[in-house]
Amino acid sequence: KPYVELLRVNCIVRWREANTFVTDDSIKRAEAIKVAIKLWGMQNNRQIKSENYIYLGDTPMSDVNNAHWSAQYVDQAYQIGLLDSLYKWSSTKRLSPDQSITRGEAVELLVKTYLLLDKSWLWTSETMITAIFEDIDSESSSTPYIAYAYERWFLQGVVDEWKQVFLPNQKISRSEFAKIAALIFKDF
């Protein structure tokens, strides 16, 4: 709850309905992108238009037209290089903005945002993340980002049947996403 409140008072997230954040629901890709762009925009003095703003530009994503509420965020995220992992398997650049984002995708998106804010690079981790989390695929594009976030204390795994796992392909809850975003935000 304190993580959600930190993001809310800084206008990065808002309540979904009547003072609730619906913490146990999964977060959609478009919602996650909006949070990442708001984090990036606040630190770069970029003005993001209001929710009621009608975006008139085109987005590079085939399934996000300018009438979609997230169009301005998607376009900005694409321009600064945050989205490549979210459509990497699609030759038509389909983002699926209303689909839930996975834990691995969410961490990659937020760590990329962090690296842009920190103006630093993703280094090769000394942590053997596949030894810590038994369910991490060393070939996955999100693996170095998960290792980076783990080393920075932005995330932790879960214990499942006596072993430490991260569950990178599972949906991430709104509260888990808010915690990682808030920990990144607190660094700046």
Side-chain angles (χ1 to χ4, degrees):
K1 181 95 176 166
Y3 301 113
V4 173
E5 187 61 15
L6 174 69
L7 296 176
R8 188 189 68 76
V9 299
N10 286 284
C11 300
I12 296 169
V13 298
R14 64 183 185 144
W15 301 128
R16 190 180 262 179
E17 60 205 36
N19 292 331
T20 59
F21 185 68
V22 195
T23 56
D24 293 334
D25 282 4
S26 62
I27 189 165
K28 306 298 183 215
R29 287 174 160 203
E31 294 171 321
I33 290 165
K34 176 183 172 184
V35 170
I37 287 301
K38 285 195 161 215
L39 284 170
W40 176 82
M42 285 185 67
Q43 300 303 323
N44 287 288
N45 297 318
R46 299 290 170 103
Q47 182 64 34
I48 304 298
K49 305 290 184 194
S50 75
E51 297 300 309
N52 300 324
Y53 173 73
I54 297 173
Y55 183 72
L56 297 177
D58 291 324
T59 73
M61 301 293 115
S62 64
D63 58 346
V64 181
N65 64 29
N66 63 359
H68 194 275
W69 70 264
S70 69
Q72 67 173 322
Y73 304 107
V74 169
D75 187 50
Q76 187 70 60
Y78 181 83
Q79 288 180 34
I80 62 174
L82 294 180
L83 298 187
D84 55 341
S85 64
L86 293 180
Y87 66 84
K88 64 183 166 224
W89 305 116
S90 172
S91 60
T92 60
K93 288 193 178 176
R94 291 184 53 79
L95 183 63
S96 304
D98 300 316
Q99 175 182 315
S100 296
I101 195 168
T102 67
R103 292 167 56 88
E105 291 169 337
V107 169
E108 186 169 345
L109 175 68
L110 288 171
V111 169
K112 282 181 177 180
T113 304
Y114 178 85
L115 293 170
L116 284 171
L117 293 172
D118 195 38
K119 296 177 177 45
S120 63
W121 302 97
L122 183 68
W123 66 80
T124 305
S125 174
E126 297 297 317
T127 303
M128 292 298 296
I129 201 70
T130 55
I132 295 168
F133 299 126
E134 294 184 18
D135 60 339
I136 298 292
D137 176 5
S138 62
E139 301 299 314
S140 170
S141 67
S142 62
T143 298
Y145 298 95
I146 293 168
Y148 187 92
Y150 180 80
E151 288 174 347
R152 291 248 186 209
W153 297 89
F154 294 154
L155 65 81
Q156 55 196 33
V158 295
V159 176
D160 183 41
E161 296 181 17
W162 302 99
K163 57 186 174 186
Q164 181 83 0
V165 293
F166 180 68
L167 308 171
N169 299 317
Q170 225 176 57
K171 297 173 186 174
I172 190 167
S173 72
R174 294 169 62 83
S175 60
E176 290 174 297
F177 187 86
K179 179 180 180 181
I180 297 168
L183 290 171
I184 286 172
F185 180 74
K186 284 172 59 175
D187 249 23
F188 293 94

